[in-house]
Amino acid sequence: MSRIPLPSLKRLPRYLNVLESFQSYGTDTISATDIAEELDLKPIQIRKDMAFTGIVGKPKVGYDVGALIKAIRDFIGWNDISPAVLIGAGSLGTALMRYEGFAKRNLNIVAAFDKDQNRNSDGRSSTPVYPMERLPAIVAEHEIEIAILTVPPAAAQEVTDQLVKLGIRAIWNFSSAEIQVPPHVVVRREDLSEGLAVLCVQLHELDETREKK
Amino acid sequence: MSRIPLPSLKRLPRYLNVLESFQSYGTDTISATDIAEELDLKPIQIRKDMAFTGIVGKPKVGYDVGALIKAIRDFIGWNDISPAVLIGAGSLGTALMRYEGFAKRNLNIVAAFDKDQNRNSDGRSSTPVYPMERLPAIVAEHEIEIAILTVPPAAAQEVTDQLVKLGIRAIWNFSSAEIQVPPHVVVRREDLSEGLAVLCVQLHELDETREKK
DNA sequence: CGTTTTTCGATATATATATCCCTGTTATCG
DNA sequence: CGATAACAGGGATATATATATCGAAAAACG
């Protein structure tokens, strides 16, 4: 479905980090070799990835940092503000509300919602927490397409069905539950145990190669 | 480096979720077709992945649920308790301390550490929060190999160097910073903006295919 | 007790992704 | 001003991953 390979797409935000860092130091041009060095990748991979954003570089010089940042952000859609709702104001939900990184990428969490009325705003975050009943009104008012799901696994499907009915088009699922959606809705799973598994196996493999020596 | 393909490894925790769910309903045997249905995957892929864990199924029946759970957990290393430390008791760090999913996978966050002394335990989590000075003693005492990094990007490399010096072998990096480690240490990046980028692009692509109709 | 159906597991094929090789361009240095 | 080195970008190749095909095994059923 994707025109850009998924691995390439996942690397783009890392490129952005490097580019923004270079920009803050006043560098206005950067080569694929420079980026590759920062990220432990091969220059050729960076060039191939950049091609998808439509940007062209200059031989012997590299890419214009500002133009490249703009091109990548345009490609991902981070130059337009995306309003979002967050469902489930538990500890993870609260942490995401406070996460500064979203603002940088123009993701605006308009409001959070929770079944438990006691979980209202604690003042440390600017995002208001409402009861679930207010969800339809807020989604309609702000024309929200993106929902962040941080509810317990048991509630995930029920909440998902609600969100779909309200016209939500993209769900970022932080619960470990597998949720079912109609084809006109995209879901992105963000499962911590996945990362933990990779880390554990890599650690184990490291021990094994060490023993062989 | 990995004997198992990375995508396969990432699917294993999802299989575990399904298996545990089936087990809780009393089902003691499961086919690749069943799992595939739950996860929207093809049965072939599940069988291929299972082969890496060394488990063998029975024609016409499938796999023994209990044995499969044990095999997968053994493969990942989740049957042994892994003690870990968490550095950076901000909102994300606190959320991870409270995350119940880690206990299920035998990851035991022994203690958290923070530069800011004020961020001590708030009672809602059983994990104690210590000042950074106590880090060496705790790591040595519990023979800790795994560190969870939830510090601001600017502090990431400095803390990493400290961790490496203390003999930490695996770092789960939740900061957006790119950290450098010697070859005997593994790093797993867990970058939220990566997932956001994928979600945004997929949402956009969905709109495009819709317009074409 | 044979036939049918389901499912595993091995081999083969297809697709996706990463890497290499070559060419052309452009800044830098002699 | 010419030679050289650094870099981008296209096309070809290699590797990794996913999917298809097939045969064999075992349960179910007539």
Side-chain angles (χ1 to χ4, degrees):
Chain A
M1 179 175 177
S2 273
R3 299 274 298 287
I4 186 177
L6 202 63
S8 299
L9 174 53
K10 287 183 180 176
R11 282 188 293 267
L12 293 185
R14 301 180 67 191
Y15 299 156
L16 262 187
N17 284 339
V18 173
L19 290 167
E20 284 163 352
S21 156
F22 269 66
Q23 196 177 47
S24 73
Y25 284 115
T27 315
D28 56 356
T29 179
I30 190 171
S31 75
T33 316
D34 297 331
I35 301 176
E37 211 161 293
E38 294 287 318
L39 301 178
D40 270 317
L41 298 172
K42 310 253 166 114
I44 209 151
Q45 190 166 57
I46 280 108
R47 279 195 282 266
K48 278 276 194 275
D49 290 343
M50 293 311 178
F52 288 104
T53 69
I55 200 85
V56 289
K58 228 178 176 182
K60 182 79 183 178
V61 176
Y63 303 90
D64 180 85
V65 174
L68 192 44
I69 290 176
K70 186 180 180 311
I72 293 178
R73 292 185 61 114
D74 266 337
F75 183 86
I76 303 179
W78 282 349
N79 282 323
D80 309 308
I81 293 175
S82 304
V85 288
L86 184 147
I87 321 288
S91 49
L92 181 57
T94 311
L96 294 182
M97 282 184 242
R98 292 183 194 146
Y99 182 57
E100 312 82 14
F102 290 152
K104 274 205 314 184
R105 276 70 175 102
N106 270 332
L107 182 78
N108 176 28
I109 304 181
V110 174
F113 298 86
D114 203 295
K115 235 179 183 171
D116 185 353
Q117 297 257 7
N118 296 328
R119 280 176 171 162
N120 41 18
S121 189
D122 64 349
R124 285 183 55 190
S125 158
S126 56
T127 311
V129 180
Y130 299 133
M132 289 297 284
E133 288 78 37
R134 293 196 58 184
L135 179 60
I138 300 279
V139 168
E141 183 189 339
H142 294 86
E143 292 179 340
I144 289 172
E145 290 191 308
I146 300 175
I148 302 171
L149 201 62
T150 48
V151 298
Q157 187 60 57
E158 187 197 329
V159 172
T160 299
D161 294 343
Q162 252 183 289
L163 291 167
V164 169
K165 223 173 271 176
L166 293 173
I168 290 290
R169 316 271 325 282
I171 297 176
W172 201 0
N173 179 19
F174 284 80
S175 89
S176 57
E178 304 282 339
I179 58 175
Q180 305 297 322
V181 294
H184 64 275
V185 178
V186 294
V187 174
R188 169 96 197 136
R189 302 183 329 103
E190 201 76 43
D191 192 350
L192 285 182
S193 55
E194 186 177 286
L196 181 60
V198 176
L199 191 75
C200 289
V201 169
Q202 287 182 344
L203 176 57
H204 203 77
E205 281 171 350
L206 202 68
D207 289 338
E208 274 174 2
T209 52
R210 204 193 210 183
E211 277 163 20
K212 278 178 190 165
K213 282 183 184 173
Chain B
M1 178 178 177
S2 274
R3 298 273 298 286
I4 186 176
L6 203 62
S8 298
L9 175 53
K10 287 183 179 176
R11 281 188 293 266
L12 293 185
R14 301 180 68 190
Y15 299 157
L16 262 187
N17 284 338
V18 173
L19 291 167
E20 283 162 352
S21 156
F22 270 66
Q23 196 177 47
S24 73
Y25 283 115
T27 315
D28 56 355
T29 178
I30 191 171
S31 75
T33 316
D34 297 332
I35 301 176
E37 211 161 292
E38 294 287 320
L39 301 178
D40 271 317
L41 299 172
K42 310 254 166 113
I44 296 179
Q45 191 166 57
I46 280 105
R47 279 195 281 268
K48 273 272 197 281
D49 290 344
M50 293 311 178
F52 288 105
T53 68
I55 200 85
V56 289
K58 233 180 175 179
K60 182 76 181 178
V61 176
Y63 303 91
D64 180 84
V65 174
L68 192 44
I69 290 176
K70 186 181 179 309
I72 294 177
R73 292 184 61 113
D74 265 339
F75 183 86
I76 303 179
W78 281 350
N79 282 323
D80 309 309
I81 292 175
S82 304
V85 288
L86 185 149
I87 321 288
S91 50
L92 181 57
T94 311
L96 293 181
M97 282 184 241
R98 293 184 193 146
Y99 182 57
E100 313 83 13
F102 291 152
K104 275 206 312 185
R105 276 71 175 101
N106 271 332
L107 181 79
N108 175 30
I109 303 181
V110 174
F113 298 86
D114 203 295
K115 234 178 182 171
D116 184 354
Q117 298 256 8
N118 297 329
R119 279 176 172 163
N120 41 16
S121 191
D122 64 350
R124 284 183 55 190
S125 158
S126 56
T127 312
V129 180
Y130 299 133
M132 289 298 284
E133 289 76 36
R134 291 197 58 185
L135 180 61
I138 301 279
V139 168
E141 183 189 339
H142 294 85
E143 291 179 342
I144 289 172
E145 290 191 309
I146 299 175
I148 302 171
L149 202 62
T150 49
V151 299
Q157 188 60 57
E158 186 197 331
V159 172
T160 298
D161 294 342
Q162 251 183 290
L163 291 167
V164 169
K165 223 174 269 176
L166 294 173
I168 290 290
R169 315 271 324 282
I171 297 175
W172 202 359
N173 179 18
F174 283 81
S175 89
S176 57
E178 304 282 339
I179 58 175
Q180 305 297 323
V181 294
H184 64 276
V185 178
V186 294
V187 173
R188 169 96 198 137
R189 302 184 326 106
E190 200 76 44
D191 192 350
L192 286 182
S193 56
E194 184 177 288
L196 182 61
V198 176
L199 191 74
C200 289
V201 169
Q202 287 182 343
L203 176 58
H204 203 76
E205 281 171 350
L206 202 68
D207 289 338
E208 273 175 2
T209 53
R210 205 193 209 182
E211 277 164 20
K212 277 177 189 166
K213 287 182 183 174

